[in-house]
Amino acid sequence: DAKTTQPTSMDCAEGRAANLPCNHSTISGNEYVYWYRQIHSQGPQYIIHGLKNNETNEMASLIITEDRKSSTLILPHATLRDTAVYYCIVRVANTGNQFYFGTGTSLTVIP
Amino acid sequence: DTAVSQTPKYLVTQMGNDKSIKCEQNLGHDTMYWYKQDSKKFLKIMFSYNNKELIINETVPNRFSPKSPDKAHLNLHINSLELGDSAVYFCASSQVYLAGRDTQYFGPGTRLTVL
């Protein structure tokens, strides 16, 4: 599975959009991009995933560049409860391969 | 209703002991997982079961033995505990194990401390 690169940490003002980038320059055509987050002392929580097209759900939007070498997770109106470590993961479709969680981005939402 | 539950939440034990952590999911999922998160916060998969059958077994010492009595349960038994086993262990489940359709739901974790 392709490796991902994320900034170690980011800050965001409460109520503003949080844009979390992820580079996956070696991604192949059949690899999905997943985002999970882990709030302190809790289990990881699924946010969103996509293959080629941009995706949106009630939690966030996922913007994937046309060449698929990078993506951005957007939390449209960050709240204090969004403070967490955010993991970007790529995974091959239709296999039993496991998720490789990297070091993620520690997002701090500031009041 | 708790989707993925683990017991116990905290486990403190002596080196050399044998202990078990239990996991149950009420989501009707076919696939369950065990992950280990060490002190540096790296989250690494250990095992994965699909329909009670082992499908992923990472490089884990054979002191760790998962057991799946049915699709809703995946227990982790650890023999001869060592200091390095101290970590938070997370159970997870997904509907299937195929990418694109395998959103994983995690339990709250079990913090194991080996003294």
Side-chain angles (χ1 to χ4, degrees):
Chain A
D1 292 338
K3 291 184 178 177
T4 61
T5 305
Q6 299 176 251
T8 303
S9 63
M10 293 179 64
D11 292 339
C12 177
E14 188 178 15
R16 305 296 293 267
N19 297 290
L20 292 93
C22 179
N23 285 325
H24 29 81
S25 58
T26 58
I27 195 170
S28 59
N30 63 348
E31 287 186 307
Y32 283 81
V33 179
Y34 288 79
W35 283 85
Y36 279 74
R37 73 180 182 183
Q38 187 173 21
I39 296 170
H40 181 61
S41 297
Q42 296 182 22
Q45 177 190 24
Y46 167 80
I47 301 173
I48 200 166
H49 75 279
L51 183 61
K52 296 180 183 177
N53 299 323
N54 298 336
E55 302 287 345
T56 295
N57 63 21
E58 65 278 2
M59 287 183 70
S61 294
L62 173 61
I63 308 298
I64 303 175
T65 58
E66 194 169 340
D67 63 8
R68 303 186 69 243
K69 294 187 176 183
S70 65
S71 61
T72 301
L73 177 74
I74 301 173
L75 308 177
H77 305 287
T79 71
L80 299 179
R81 287 175 295 181
D82 293 322
T83 293
V85 177
Y86 287 77
Y87 297 97
C88 170
I89 304 159
V90 294
R91 187 157 174 266
V92 178
N94 298 326
T95 71
N97 288 349
Q98 55 271 37
F99 281 83
Y100 288 105
F101 286 81
T103 53
T105 295
S106 177
L107 174 70
T108 301
V109 179
I110 302 168
Chain B
D1 286 342
T2 304
V4 182
S5 59
Q6 296 178 227
T7 53
K9 188 171 176 62
Y10 299 97
L11 183 54
V12 181
T13 188
Q14 300 286 333
M15 263 188 354
N17 284 350
D18 302 338
K19 291 292 179 187
S20 293
I21 306 172
K22 295 186 177 181
C23 178
E24 177 181 2
Q25 54 95 2
N26 63 4
L27 298 167
H29 288 169
D30 285 345
T31 308
M32 296 186 72
Y33 311 79
W34 275 109
Y35 286 82
K36 177 181 180 181
Q37 187 167 40
D38 60 24
S39 57
K40 295 182 180 178
K41 302 296 185 185
F42 287 114
L43 190 62
K44 187 174 180 182
I45 193 164
M46 301 172 69
F47 301 102
S48 176
Y49 270 70
N50 186 63
N51 282 324
K52 300 195 301 174
E53 291 189 11
L54 182 66
I55 56 172
I56 292 171
N57 183 353
E58 280 294 285
T59 307
V60 177
N62 56 14
R63 298 182 294 104
F64 291 79
S65 53
K67 292 228 172 14
S68 182
D70 54 58
K71 283 198 317 183
H73 295 85
L74 180 62
N75 303 322
L76 183 65
H77 188 75
I78 315 170
N79 290 328
S80 302
L81 279 156
E82 300 177 358
L83 294 177
D85 298 332
S86 295
V88 181
Y89 292 84
F90 289 101
C91 177
S93 73
S94 65
Q95 190 171 11
V96 295
Y97 67 92
L98 300 176
R101 294 185 287 151
D102 62 345
T103 297
Q104 295 189 19
Y105 296 83
F106 283 78
T110 295
R111 182 174 294 278
L112 171 65
T113 303
V114 182
L115 303 175

